[in-house]
């Protein structure tokens, strides 16, 4: 199957498909090609003229006052890629690199960058051939575009740099040759158009957002499981409570919690003889906390989809009026701010999950056996499992510090305010892993709590989740190492399997998904 890319019309659903485990073959909507040709013609006209045009016949950044001879214009673009490919650190994942290739190609295909069709076609050829440029993860400040990582992305277009191909890291030239892809000879402005842009920070943030979508669903389900294990009340999820506040995420989350708990024998068993007036906040305020996180994620999705479709090059080429205009669309502040918002949301999802684990092991609050073991003293049960969750939640607090408030001037103070969007987005990956482990620990702890309430059954949906957890981790009635169990459930959370186990039963879960 081939997926058609319509520049300016990418959706979150399409981006999700394109970043999946299987590489999807893509093709460009032919309707965009006339605009691409028109803008390339305008750049070529400027290159043949005598007037100084930034990025076409001048140096870059602080060197913009330096004129470049006409015979050196192609060499100028090649040297730009070479000089800017100075990233460090581990390579970005194949999943992220695929997104970067597609976002860069569709941005250029909007027809405002002045590149030839061959440039865009070669980017897509790399993607379709399974060639992933090696992009070191560090070295961008998220202004003037993701210069260093995009230079690493694009060096293989000219037969230089490194790529991953068929499971091997190798020089780009032989990989291109094996696939019958001819290296490009860059024209005027093309090197600049390739490295200007926010595609790396945007791809990193989108990748994190899609992972957060799966994590969020699992965390809502884990919270429902914990509520029943602690014999909590579902009264705080009454729709009237949430309607009078009017926060959409909160309303949707409350509906999901209500639906998840329908038919619970455990809930029915203590409806009339429960002497607790109110549950702890970690149970009672789940719709308020998780709903606020959901609203942040939905806002981030809006911004990131706009950015995925954006033209973030400089200068921009407006062929219809015959103008080339310098601006600052390469500044990644929108991405930085929503990445910081996502960081806080991810930290909060983990923070309230950790509090629920702490509540479950506290026999005074949960009224379950101490540390969720039937023989406390001889057994420590979930005592140190909770410590692991606490350590991860605390680590997330440091990682959630906003990156966007930091700025170091670069390029001899020409670029005197930067967004730090690339780091803001990149650090989300570790936070997601931390929080997925916390949620996995909660699922294990809540499932253990349910065991002490047998033979009563939880809600049918929750029992499906119980079976999923038990498929990789049996109940622990005597101490054993739970390290492998935590990893196994963590993989279920990351893969979205927790939600998949019951999505068909609970339509309200679909309302929580990013569409």
């Amino acid at each position: 199957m081939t997926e058609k890319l319509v520049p300016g019309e990418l959706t979150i659903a399409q981006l999700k498909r394109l970043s999946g485990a299987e590489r999807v073959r893509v093709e460009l909507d032919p309707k965009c090609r006339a605009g691409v040709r028109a803008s390339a013609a305008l750049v070529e006209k400027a290159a043949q003229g005598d007037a100084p045009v930034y990025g076409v016949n001048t140096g870059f950044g602080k060197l913009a006052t330096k004129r470049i001879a006409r015979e050196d214009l192609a060499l100028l673009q090649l040297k730009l890629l070479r000089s800017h490919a100075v990233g460090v650190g581990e390579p970005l994942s194949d999943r992220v690199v695929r997104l970067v290739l597609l976002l860069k190609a569709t941005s250029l295909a909007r027809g405002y960058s002045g590149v030839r069709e061959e440039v865009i076609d070669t980017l897509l050829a790399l993607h379709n051939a399974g060639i992933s440029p090696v992009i070191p993860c560090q070295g961008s400040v998220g202004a003037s575009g993701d210069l260093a990582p995009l230079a690493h992305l694009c060096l293989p277009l000219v037969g230089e740099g490194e790529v991953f191909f068929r499971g091997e890291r190798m020089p780009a030239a032989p990989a291109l040759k094996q696939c019958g892809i001819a290296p490009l000879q860059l024209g005027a402005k093309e090197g600049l158009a390739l490295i200007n842009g926010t595609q790396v920070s945007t791809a990193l943030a989108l990748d994190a957002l899609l992972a957060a979508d799966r994590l969020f669903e699992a965390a809502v389900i884990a919270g429902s499981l914990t509520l029943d294990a602690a014999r909590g009340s579902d009264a705080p999820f009454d729709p009237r409570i949430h309607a009078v506040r009017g926060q959409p995420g909160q309303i949707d989350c409350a509906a999901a919690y209500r639906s998840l708990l329908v038919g619970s024998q455990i809930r029915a068993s203590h409806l009339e003889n429960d002497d607790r007036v109110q549950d702890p906040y970690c149970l009672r305020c789940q719709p308020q906390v998780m709903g606020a996180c959901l609203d942040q994620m939905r806002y981030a999705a809006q911004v990131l989809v706009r950015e995925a479709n954006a033209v973030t090059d400089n200068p921009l080429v407006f062929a219809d009026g015959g103008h080339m205009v310098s601006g600052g669309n390469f500044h990644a502040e929108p991405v930085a701010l929503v990445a910081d918002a996502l960081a806080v949301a991810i930290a909060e999802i983990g923070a309230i999950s950790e509090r629920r684990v702490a509540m479950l092991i506290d026999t005074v609050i949960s009224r379950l056996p101490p540390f969720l073991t039937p023989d406390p003293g001889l057994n420590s049960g979930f005592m140190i499992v909770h410590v692991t969750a606490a350590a991860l939640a605390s680590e997330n607090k440091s990682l959630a510090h906003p990156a966007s408030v930091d700025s170091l001037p670069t390029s001899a103070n020409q670029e005197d305010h930067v967004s730090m969007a690339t780091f803001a987005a990149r650090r989300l990956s570790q936070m997601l892993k931390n929080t997925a482990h916390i949620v996995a620990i909660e699922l294990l702890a809540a499932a253990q709590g349910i065991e002490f309430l047998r033979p009563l059954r939880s809600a049918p949906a929750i029992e499906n989740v119980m079976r999923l957890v038990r498929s990789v981790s049996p109940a622990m009635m005597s101490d054993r190492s739970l390290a492998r169990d935590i990893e196994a459930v963590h993989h279920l959370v990351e893969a979205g399997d927790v939600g998949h186990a019951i999505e068909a039963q609970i339509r309200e879960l679909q309302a929580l998904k990013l569409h």
Side-chain angles (χ1 to χ4, degrees), residues 77-88 134-136 138-139 146-156 158 160-162 195:
Q77 302 301 315
L78 179 59
K79 283 179 173 287
L80 182 68
L81 292 188
R82 289 171 174 168
S83 67
H84 284 54
V86 290
V88 299
V134 175
I135 306 178
Q138 295 170 288
D146 291 312
L147 296 172
L150 284 174
H152 284 281
L153 176 87
C154 296
L155 266 181
V158 299
E160 300 184 15
E162 288 187 297
I195 69 170

Side-chain angles (χ1 to χ4, degrees), residues 128-326:
N128 289 340
I131 298 174
S132 288
V134 175
I135 306 178
C137 67
Q138 295 170 288
S140 175
V141 295
S144 286
D146 291 312
L147 296 172
L150 284 174
H152 284 281
L153 176 87
C154 296
L155 266 181
L157 300 179
V158 299
E160 300 184 15
E162 288 187 297
V163 299
F164 290 108
F165 181 57
R166 295 176 181 168
E168 183 182 346
R169 183 170 177 168
M170 62 171 66
L176 266 62
K177 186 174 182 180
Q178 287 185 54
C179 297
I181 300 172
L184 284 173
Q185 299 292 320
L186 294 177
K189 192 185 176 292
E190 289 180 341
L192 181 62
L194 285 167
I195 69 170
N196 253 337
T198 63
Q199 287 78 33
V200 173
S201 51
T202 302
L204 283 164
L206 279 168
D207 185 63
L209 177 67
L210 295 171
D213 194 28
R214 299 188 293 271
L215 172 65
F216 183 87
E217 184 178 47
V220 169
I221 293 167
S224 301
L225 186 58
T226 296
L227 183 82
D228 233 16
R231 286 163 286 184
S233 172
D234 57 2
F237 308 142
D238 187 311
R240 294 169 295 182
I241 294 172
H242 308 286
V244 297
R245 193 176 200 182
Q247 295 289 355
Q250 178 180 326
I251 291 168
D252 290 342
C253 283
Y257 286 113
R258 288 195 305 273
S259 296
L260 284 162
L261 294 162
V262 168
S264 170
Q265 295 176 358
I266 296 171
R267 175 64 183 133
S269 72
H270 60 92
L271 275 173
E272 296 181 359
N273 60 357
D274 196 334
D275 58 356
R276 288 179 294 186
V277 177
Q278 293 189 126
D279 291 327
Y281 286 7
C282 67
L283 297 179
R284 186 179 5 140
C285 298
Q286 288 186 82
Q288 288 81 2
V289 174
M290 297 296 283
C293 293
L294 180 59
D295 285 336
Q296 289 295 309
M297 290 166 57
R298 287 169 170 172
Y299 174 67
Q302 292 175 7
V303 173
L304 293 175
V305 169
R306 286 198 295 262
E307 196 71 5
N309 286 297
V311 181
T312 50
D313 184 15
N314 179 62
L316 294 180
V317 181
F318 298 96
D320 53 354
H323 299 125
M324 295 180 64
V325 186
S326 289

Side-chain angles (χ1 to χ4, degrees), residues 390-458:
L392 295 170
S394 185
E395 185 176 307
N396 274 350
K397 294 175 187 176
S398 294
L399 289 170
H401 184 279
S404 58
V405 298
D406 185 30
S407 179
L408 279 175
T410 59
S411 193
N413 286 307
Q414 174 77 359
E415 297 155 9
D416 55 359
H417 181 276
V418 300
S419 71
M420 296 308 300
T422 320
F423 169 66
R426 178 168 56 84
R427 60 75 140 84
L428 298 176
S429 176
Q430 185 60 54
M431 297 186 71
L432 287 160
K433 286 185 179 297
N434 291 346
T435 302
H437 276 107
I438 297 169
V439 171
I441 288 169
E442 183 186 357
L443 285 165
L444 286 166
Q448 181 81 356
I450 294 288
E451 300 290 354
F452 295 110
L453 306 180
R454 296 302 193 201
L456 294 175
R457 310 290 292 175
S458 185

Side-chain angles (χ1 to χ4, degrees), residues 462-483:
I462 297 300
E463 289 293 340
N464 278 356
V465 176
M466 282 286 295
R467 283 189 286 275
L468 180 68
V469 172
R470 288 288 170 255
S471 72
V472 296
S473 174
M476 188 178 75
M477 296 305 167
S478 181
D479 278 358
R480 69 174 191 271
S481 171
L482 284 177

